[in-house]
Amino acid sequence: SRSMVLYAGHPYMMRRLSSPRFPFLSIGIAGFVLRQASAMSTSTTSKYKGAVVFLHGLGDSPAGWSSIEQVLPSIRPSLQDKIKYSFPAAPTIPITINGGMEMPGWFDLFDWPIAVGSKDDEEGLLRSISQIEEAVEKIQRDEGIPKSKIVVGGFSQGGAAALLAAYRAKGKDKTFEPYAGCVGLSAWLTLPESLQVPQEAAEKTPLLWCHGRYDDKVLFEQQSFGVAKLKESGVKVTDTSYDIGHESHPEEMAAFADFLEAALLGDGENPNTGSEL
């Protein structure tokens, strides 16, 4: 089945595709895909003030979310030509909840829906962190942007990987460098029992967590659970929720744009405005 929703007053469409055989594909491909109605020009000579590494969801591709490069500046013009965007592609791996069928995924999934306490694929999660770090290192090498001016984020499974990359401590012999911020859209906190947020991340990496109250794939309970755990560790969190399912929302994009503006173009203060749950 297929449905199309156009949100009036916002220059993009959000499309949801669903599979009658594998309905859980809406984590990624069936999640709302942002599309810009009119292209916006960009300058290749602009000096970037920061960067965003954003991960797509299960079964999706970088193209599924690449339009935020136009959408976010259309909401906050200050972002135009000042932010470098990177959209890594997940590897194609067998997914257990899909009967072992291979598809783009950051890590394996064992339980459905994804509730608090669902089993985690630690090996796959650590692999996804390595891929995020490769994307970050490329930005640092090619653009000269420090990690302290890079926001990492993602939708659904991509958001779960981004959260772990931002708030998981490294080994004792490795130096931890905090990100400028983290954005989780319909995400969840993985490996919560072993969570050890480095002090640097708690102090310097604020989090924006947006979630649908009617999400039946990554359950809404995941937001309150994850936010509470991270706040206990000292992370400054802005959490917002909307009357939607496992999809995106115009107000969510506005919150995203505001967060980036504060995190990457602001005066260095944490872009935290508190809970809106």
Side-chain angles (χ1 to χ4, degrees), residues 27 113-114 155-156 185-187 210-221 242 244-247:
I27 277 190
I114 302 169
F155 174 74
S156 191
L185 309 182
S186 305
C210 305
H211 217 107
R213 298 186 185 98
Y214 307 123
D215 195 330
D216 60 350
K217 296 167 179 61
V218 180
L219 300 186
F220 184 43
E221 65 181 29
Y242 311 94
I244 56 174
H246 194 68
E247 56 208 40

Side-chain angles (χ1 to χ4, degrees), residues 187-208:
W188 72 97
L189 184 66
T190 57
L191 306 175
E193 299 306 318
S194 60
L195 179 68
Q196 292 184 346
V197 178
Q199 183 177 354
E200 299 94 329
E203 295 177 350
K204 299 180 180 180
T205 308
L207 168 66
L208 172 66

Side-chain angles (χ1 to χ4, degrees), residues 55-56 106-107 109 114 120 125 128-129 132 153-167 182-191 209 218:
L55 281 63
H56 61 78
W106 297 104
F107 49 88
L109 294 174
I114 302 169
D120 290 320
L125 283 160
S128 71
I129 289 178
I132 291 172
F155 174 74
S156 191
Q157 196 187 47
L163 282 169
L164 196 63
Y167 301 112
C182 181
V183 176
L185 309 182
S186 305
W188 72 97
L189 184 66
T190 57
L191 306 175
W209 189 324
V218 180

